[in-house]
Structure formats: structure tokens, C-alpha cells
Amino acid sequence: MGDNEEVWRPLSITEIHSIFSIIPIKWWIAGGWALDIYLQKITRAHDDIDIVIIRPDHLILQRHLGRDWEMFIAFKGQLIPWNKNQLLDSHYDNIWVKKKDESTWAFQVMLLDIEEKNWIYKRNNTIRKSLEDIGLVSLSGIPFLKPEIQLLYKGGSSVIREKDVIDLGNILPKLNVSNRDWLKKSLKIQYPHGHKWIELIDSYAKV
């Protein structure tokens, strides 16, 4: 993706809420913003804003956004126009969205795989949770991904960035024991030979 394709001017959480609240689908704020909503404070700068929806709802989303927004599939370094009524296969799960006739990206939508009424962690499909148990709602009514799930996405990535480690350090003191244990157990399933975050979780639990 060229430099001109990577310029972001992300919408605010309030703007996202006003757009998504009138679309008849489940949705949650994800990424670093989800963690800051959980902490009820801004801990660092955010370059973009991520929303997650369940895969079966992606054409409903397209229909509601289609008049004012352009949507592209981000896949292996390419941005591919998302054609009207195009069903997205399971290997497509990342949509970039910008206002029509504008060059800057406004938000990103990730598609969550589900089976029946369970969310499935794509990197290891034995890790699951009930769809009713993957999100929380802020005091102002914003749905967001639970912090232990967001941290699993960060820690389970092939590239862990400095900001991901900062996020882990900010969230661990605020997680209760069962949520910490769920994150540790999930990382152990994905990384049976060990993961440095497991050690960090263990060392924090001993404090």
C-alpha cells in the first residue's frame, strides 16, 4: 500500500457511534481505543479506529454505508475495492473505509468469525466465547471489545509492537483474576511452547 493510501484521519468514538448505532447489527469498538474506553482515560495517541462486527452482518453493513462511504478489502498489502453485494470469504476480514471523494481513511472494520452463537478466535479456533460475552458497554453507551480478548489479539499477533506491551501493562492491574487467567490460558493454547506475555501475567499475579 503506497504512502498516499495509508493516510488516516480517523473518526472519533462519538462519530463512529452515530454511524453504527442506526445499523441493525452487533458491533464493538476494538483496538487500542477499546482498552482506553475500559480504562476510562486516553493512555496514548491512536493512529486509527477499529470496529469489529460478526461476519454474517457484513453485507448489511455495506448496504448501510454504501451511499456515503467507499470500502476496500485490505489483504496481503493490497487494497481491493469491495464490490456491491460481494460476499467475503473467510480469508478476507479487514475492511478500510473512507468518505466518498476523500483520500483519507476514516475507520477500519474487522470481521469476526462465529459458529452458532460463539465467537471464534481465528488464529486458533479452539478458543471461543459466547457472543454475549465478548463485549462491554461504556457509561455513554458505546459497545467495546472486552480487554482480555483485545489483548489476545495483540499478544497473539506475529508482530508485537511497543504500544501493545504498553497496553498490556496498563490493563493487567485492572483485570480480575478470571479474565487474567482466561488470557493466560488462551495464549498457552496458541503458544504451547511459551510466550513472554504469559511470564508477565504470572509475575503480575505474584505482586
Side-chain angles (χ1 to χ4, degrees):
M1 291 178 246
D3 291 342
N4 63 328
E5 294 173 325
E6 293 184 350
V7 178
W8 281 83
R9 192 178 295 155
L11 299 185
S12 68
I13 290 171
T14 304
E15 289 170 319
I16 291 293
H17 188 224
S18 68
I19 292 167
F20 277 76
S21 62
I22 58 173
I23 304 175
I25 60 174
K26 288 181 178 291
W27 63 278
W28 302 265
I29 297 284
W33 271 120
L35 301 177
D36 276 1
I37 294 172
Y38 178 75
L39 294 171
Q40 298 183 42
K41 64 180 180 181
I42 297 175
T43 60
R44 60 173 175 82
H46 298 280
D47 299 325
D48 56 13
I49 189 162
D50 304 327
I51 300 96
V52 291
I53 69 170
I54 60 173
R55 185 175 296 278
D57 287 345
H58 69 275
L59 287 183
I60 300 172
L61 177 79
Q62 188 193 60
R63 283 198 293 274
H64 278 79
L65 295 180
R67 188 183 68 180
D68 299 320
W69 302 89
E70 287 185 277
M71 290 158 278
F72 290 76
I73 305 159
F75 184 69
K76 293 187 175 180
Q78 300 294 314
L79 285 169
I80 308 159
W82 183 15
N83 296 323
K84 187 175 181 181
N85 296 324
Q86 177 188 356
L87 272 171
L88 300 182
D89 295 333
S90 62
H91 53 282
Y92 293 142
D93 58 12
N94 186 355
I95 308 297
W96 287 23
V97 185
K98 65 185 182 72
K99 204 78 183 257
K100 284 186 175 175
D101 303 320
E102 291 189 10
S103 59
T104 53
W105 299 101
F107 57 94
Q108 190 171 354
V109 179
M110 309 296 292
L111 306 183
L112 299 180
D113 291 308
I114 65 165
E115 190 173 287
E116 295 178 346
K117 294 186 177 179
N118 293 310
W119 157 79
I120 301 169
Y121 180 53
K122 193 166 188 174
R123 296 168 184 147
N124 186 306
N125 64 17
T126 65
I127 300 171
R128 301 170 177 228
K129 260 183 184 281
S130 163
L131 263 184
E132 300 302 317
D133 193 33
I134 67 168
L136 296 168
V137 179
S138 75
L139 294 174
S140 55
I142 309 288
F144 64 98
L145 209 55
K146 283 189 170 181
E148 63 271 22
I149 295 178
Q150 186 56 62
L151 287 174
L152 177 62
Y153 278 113
K154 286 175 170 283
S157 174
S158 56
V159 177
I160 297 179
R161 304 154 298 182
E162 183 183 1
K163 65 182 179 181
D164 299 326
V165 179
I166 292 169
D167 288 342
L168 177 71
N170 287 334
I171 293 290
L172 271 183
K174 303 293 185 181
L175 281 185
N176 64 33
V177 173
S178 64
N179 292 339
R180 258 201 334 259
D181 286 349
W182 182 88
L183 175 59
K184 176 182 168 182
K185 179 183 172 186
S186 299
L187 286 168
K188 278 186 170 179
I189 292 169
Q190 187 180 353
Y191 296 97
H193 302 296
H195 187 289
K196 60 179 134 185
W197 280 23
I198 295 171
E199 297 165 23
L200 288 171
I201 295 167
D202 279 342
S203 64
Y204 178 78
K206 291 171 186 170
V207 172

